[in-house]
Amino acid sequence: MDDVLIPGRLSVPSLSALAAFEAAARHGSFTRAAEELSLTQGAVSRQVAQLEGALGVSLFERVKKRVSLTAAGAAYAAEVREGLSRLAAATVSAMAFRGAAGVLNLAILPTFGTRWLIPRLPRFTEAHPGITINFATKLVPFDFSREPLDAAVHFGDPVWPGARLHRLMGEEIVPVASPALVARFGIAEPADMLKAPLLQQSTRPRAWANWLEQQGLPPQRALVGPRFEQFAMVSQAAVAGLGLAIVPRFLVEEELRSGALVIPIDRSLIGQEGYYLVYPEEKANLPAVTAFRDWLLAECAPVG
C-alpha cells in the first residue's frame, strides 16, 4: 500500500487516505464509506488507521462495530472536507480552461444578480465569449482565502481586508406596497404607514428605522414584522399584500411598471453605502477578473 504521507517539505496525507477518512467521518461508518468509494471495508479501515498513525492522534473511537469521531477527528474532518471541496472546485475550474479564455467564479447578491446583473450579462458574453462565469450566492462578506471564489458583488461600506473594491452604484430606497394594501389601510401620508405590517429584510435591519426617522416618525415599530432573507422574497410578499416593503427602487422597476406595486409615499432614502465589485489582491491581474471588472464598471457608468 502507498505511504499515507506524501514525502516533501511538508508532511501531507495522500488524497486516498483523506478521502477514506472524510467519507467514514461523514457516514459514521467504515462500511458505508467503503460502499461510496468502491473499496472494501478493510481497505478503508487500514487507510484510516495508517492516517491516525501518521498524525499521532486518534480520529475515531471504536466500540465493537461502531465508530464515532473524537474531538480531534471532528475538527480534522471539517478542515479535510473543506479542503477536498476546494480541490474539486479548482479541478473543475482548471478543466473549464480547455478551449476557453478563462473562468470567473463570482459571488453575487441573489436579487441583484437576478434583477440587474444577469439581464445585462449577454453583453459581456458577446464581448468575451471565451470567459465562463460560475455564480455562487453570498449575502455577507467572507474570507476569499477560504472560498473558491475570484470576485464578489458586495453591498455595504468599502471595507474588505486584503481586497480591492470598485464602487458600482449607490441605491435609492423607497417604500412599496400592493395597491390593495394601500387602499385597505388608507395610506395617504407617512404616519398612515404605521398602521400596516412592515416587511423586514434580514441584511438591512435598520432600513425601516432610517426611513421613519427621516419622516420624523417614531421608529419603535421599525423591526416589527415578517422577516425575509432576500429582497426578491420581500418584494413578492409585498405584491401578495402581506405588508409594506422598503427596497431599492431599481430592484422593483418591473413591478412598478406593471402596477403590481406602487410607491404610496414617494419619499426616498439615499444611503451612504453602495454596491462594490470586490476581488483579492492576488487575483487582480487574472484576465477573467480584469475583463469582468472593466465591463461592469462601464455598465455602471452614468449615462451622458
Side-chain angles (χ1 to χ4, degrees), residues 20-83:
F21 165 67
E22 190 281 328
R26 178 162 33 86
H27 290 297
S29 166
F30 289 172
T31 300
R32 292 178 63 187
E35 292 171 354
E36 177 182 307
L37 299 173
S38 299
L39 298 172
T40 65
Q41 187 271 348
V44 170
S45 180
R46 284 192 297 274
Q47 287 271 31
V48 172
Q50 291 180 357
L51 181 60
E52 290 176 313
L55 297 176
V57 296
S58 295
L59 301 174
F60 288 97
E61 293 180 351
R62 298 161 174 82
V63 180
K64 295 183 179 180
K65 294 185 178 181
R66 303 184 62 180
V67 295
S68 60
L69 287 167
T70 63
Y76 191 49
E79 296 291 339
V80 168
R81 186 170 299 116
E82 181 178 330

Side-chain angles (χ1 to χ4, degrees), residues 10-195:
L10 294 175
S11 295
V12 180
S14 67
L15 282 177
S16 58
L18 292 175
F21 165 67
E22 190 281 328
R26 178 162 33 86
H27 290 297
S29 166
F30 289 172
T31 300
R32 292 178 63 187
E35 292 171 354
E36 177 182 307
L37 299 173
S38 299
L39 298 172
T40 65
Q41 187 271 348
V44 170
S45 180
R46 284 192 297 274
Q47 287 271 31
V48 172
Q50 291 180 357
L51 181 60
E52 290 176 313
L55 297 176
V57 296
S58 295
L59 301 174
F60 288 97
E61 293 180 351
R62 298 161 174 82
V63 180
K64 295 183 179 180
K65 294 185 178 181
R66 303 184 62 180
V67 295
S68 60
L69 287 167
T70 63
Y76 191 49
E79 296 291 339
V80 168
R81 186 170 299 116
E82 181 178 330
L84 291 175
S85 295
R86 293 187 64 186
L87 183 59
T91 301
V92 171
S93 293
M95 293 172 65
F97 272 90
R98 293 180 297 189
V103 175
L104 177 68
N105 295 309
L106 178 68
I108 58 172
L109 301 165
T111 309
F112 176 89
T114 56
R115 292 298 183 95
W116 191 91
L117 178 60
I118 291 176
R120 291 168 169 78
L121 209 56
R123 292 197 283 270
F124 176 79
T125 57
E126 183 178 356
H128 304 279
I131 296 178
T132 299
I133 301 181
N134 300 321
F135 293 95
T137 296
K138 292 289 184 182
L139 297 176
V140 295
F142 56 90
D143 184 353
F144 275 108
S145 69
R146 301 182 68 86
E147 300 279 356
L149 295 167
D150 303 311
V153 174
H154 156 69
F155 178 83
D157 295 316
V159 177
W160 197 306
R164 296 188 186 181
L165 295 93
H166 300 273
R167 186 177 175 90
L168 302 176
M169 65 182 79
E171 65 178 11
E172 178 189 11
I173 299 292
V174 293
V176 296
S178 68
L181 183 135
V182 173
R184 184 163 78 248
F185 287 95
I187 299 174
E189 58 184 47
D192 295 332
M193 297 177 69
L194 296 176
K195 305 173 188 175

Side-chain angles (χ1 to χ4, degrees), residues 220-246:
Q220 282 80 357
R221 291 193 60 246
L223 295 176
V224 179
R227 191 168 302 277
F228 303 87
E229 276 196 346
Q230 301 176 12
F231 276 125
M233 299 172 69
V234 174
S235 60
Q236 286 306 303
V239 169
L242 295 180
L244 285 155
I246 187 159

